[in-house]
Amino acid sequence: MAEITASMVKELREKTDAPMMECKKALTEAAGDMEKAEEILRVKLGNKAAKASARVAAEGIVGTFLSPDGKLAAIIEVNCETDFVAKNEDFLAFTRELASLVASGNPADVTALSAMPLSGKTVDQVRTELVGRIGENLSIRRFTRIASAGRVAQYIHGGSKIGVLVDLVGGDENLAKDLAMHVAAAKPVALSKDQVPETLIQKERDVAAAKAAEQGKAADIAQKMVEGSVQKFLKEVTLLGQPFVKDDKQTVEQLLKARGASVSSFVLYVVGEGIEKKTTDFAAEVAAQAQAAMQR
């Protein structure tokens, strides 16, 4: 019997996106023949599952879980290739199950979540079977779990393309919901100034300095312009510094102070944010295929 090595299993998994144990079984059945093992998996999992993992999954939805008392919450982004599949009921149900699993199981990362049990299988096995049925690559991108001392509010917007959790201490349920809607609309990058990534601040500083130099400002004036721009930027991108969407005469920080409340944390997920989507020139693709056919 041919020896089935870890590298062989890894290679077959990359080709088919099948679970490792299924890859090992297929290789064993095929006596180590890679092509035959691939065909075995295609029969078991469906032809559509093969090589789906090579395609970019930049669509999808954000799913949430919230306990009745608002003390435990989870948010997760699961991606697919097209908006059509993002509306598929099986895909929606899978995402809901994952959000609940994150809340109850508290996995450390996506790898740990993928190995957790779900419906008598692992999450990754369920995902792979769903890939075979739907015919698109599906990937679990990220998740966050919140165990709150206060109350968590959730808000989903735009056909589940934007999801928000806000952990509020003090205040009431209506305030928490209003803040979650505010986050979805204003899209702050951090809660307060000290939480804004230094790379973003430096980028704003560089842009402001370049503008001041272009205007030929003296060094002391340029420095004041730069600091002014940075402070304005920090107000615009922090939740506490932003004008409240329902009353722009006060900032969120002022609103919270007036209501005797504070925000412990918030999470904002926008589907596909930061994923490079592949764009295809259909006419160019057809022309390239025709040219290739002529050269055969």
Side-chain angles (χ1 to χ4, degrees), residues 237-256:
V237 301
T238 56
L239 176 58
L240 296 181
Q242 291 176 337
F244 181 45
V245 290
K246 283 192 170 184
D247 178 10
D248 61 7
K249 298 294 190 296
Q250 62 178 338
T251 64
V252 171
E253 185 173 24
Q254 291 169 335
L255 169 67
L256 290 168

Side-chain angles (χ1 to χ4, degrees), residues 156-176:
I156 297 293
H157 182 73
S160 298
K161 299 298 183 184
I162 299 174
V164 177
L165 295 180
V166 172
D167 185 5
L168 183 70
V169 178
D172 55 29
E173 186 175 354
N174 288 333
L175 177 60

Side-chain angles (χ1 to χ4, degrees), residues 216-262:
K217 300 295 184 182
D220 58 335
I221 296 177
Q223 182 62 29
K224 290 180 181 179
M225 288 178 61
V226 169
E227 290 307 314
S229 294
V230 169
Q231 291 306 312
K232 180 182 177 183
F233 168 74
L234 291 173
K235 289 179 180 179
E236 291 173 347
V237 301
T238 56
L239 176 58
L240 296 181
Q242 291 176 337
F244 181 45
V245 290
K246 283 192 170 184
D247 178 10
D248 61 7
K249 298 294 190 296
Q250 62 178 338
T251 64
V252 171
E253 185 173 24
Q254 291 169 335
L255 169 67
L256 290 168
K257 185 176 180 180
R259 301 288 291 273
S262 64

Side-chain angles (χ1 to χ4, degrees), residues 8-295:
M8 292 170 66
V9 174
K10 181 176 182 293
E11 180 182 350
L12 185 59
R13 176 174 168 77
E14 290 175 348
K15 285 183 176 181
T16 65
D17 201 39
M20 285 190 179
M21 288 306 297
E22 293 298 325
C23 289
K24 186 174 182 180
K25 289 178 183 177
L27 283 165
T28 301
E29 185 178 338
D33 186 317
M34 188 65 66
E35 290 186 5
K36 186 176 179 180
E38 188 174 347
E39 289 302 316
I40 290 171
L41 284 176
R42 286 180 176 178
V43 171
K44 288 184 176 180
L45 302 177
N47 290 334
K48 294 178 181 179
K51 299 182 180 179
S53 61
R55 301 195 295 265
V56 176
E59 294 295 338
I61 62 170
V62 175
T64 59
F65 169 88
L66 183 63
S67 63
D69 61 2
K71 297 292 186 181
L72 181 63
I75 184 169
I76 189 167
E77 178 183 351
V78 183
N79 299 121
C80 55
E81 295 177 54
T82 65
D83 188 54
F84 178 77
V85 167
K87 298 172 183 175
N88 178 281
E89 184 52 45
D90 288 341
F91 178 72
L92 295 172
F94 178 60
T95 303
R96 289 193 295 267
E97 289 175 333
L98 291 184
S100 178
L101 196 57
V102 167
S104 62
N106 193 22
D109 51 29
V110 171
T111 300
L113 174 61
S114 297
M116 292 180 70
L118 179 63
S119 302
K121 304 170 185 177
T122 67
V123 166
D124 194 55
Q125 287 173 328
V126 175
R127 182 195 66 81
T128 301
E129 290 178 0
L130 194 55
V131 168
R133 292 201 304 274
I134 291 177
E136 284 194 9
N137 185 25
L138 308 176
S139 61
I140 304 169
R141 186 184 184 194
R142 53 183 173 169
F143 62 81
T144 301
R145 178 182 185 271
I146 296 178
S148 174
R151 168 182 291 277
V152 178
Q154 64 178 348
Y155 180 66
I156 297 293
H157 182 73
S160 298
K161 299 298 183 184
I162 299 174
V164 177
L165 295 180
V166 172
D167 185 5
L168 183 70
V169 178
D172 55 29
E173 186 175 354
N174 288 333
L175 177 60
K177 289 181 178 179
D178 282 348
L179 289 172
M181 292 176 67
H182 171 98
V183 170
K187 297 181 176 60
V189 301
L191 176 61
S192 57
K193 294 179 181 179
D194 60 331
Q195 295 179 9
V196 177
E198 185 58 38
T199 53
L200 293 182
I201 298 175
Q202 188 58 50
K203 183 178 179 180
E204 185 65 25
R205 193 181 301 279
D206 292 344
V207 170
K211 287 181 179 179
E214 187 177 326
Q215 295 172 14
K217 300 295 184 182
D220 58 335
I221 296 177
Q223 182 62 29
K224 290 180 181 179
M225 288 178 61
V226 169
E227 290 307 314
S229 294
V230 169
Q231 291 306 312
K232 180 182 177 183
F233 168 74
L234 291 173
K235 289 179 180 179
E236 291 173 347
V237 301
T238 56
L239 176 58
L240 296 181
Q242 291 176 337
F244 181 45
V245 290
K246 283 192 170 184
D247 178 10
D248 61 7
K249 298 294 190 296
Q250 62 178 338
T251 64
V252 171
E253 185 173 24
Q254 291 169 335
L255 169 67
L256 290 168
K257 185 176 180 180
R259 301 288 291 273
S262 64
V263 172
S264 177
S265 64
F266 74 88
V267 183
L268 167 66
Y269 282 175
V270 179
V271 168
E273 187 176 39
I275 299 177
E276 184 176 351
K277 298 184 181 181
K278 182 178 179 180
T279 57
T280 301
D281 185 331
F282 182 71
E285 183 177 329
V286 172
Q289 291 177 352
Q291 183 66 27
M294 291 173 62
Q295 293 175 351

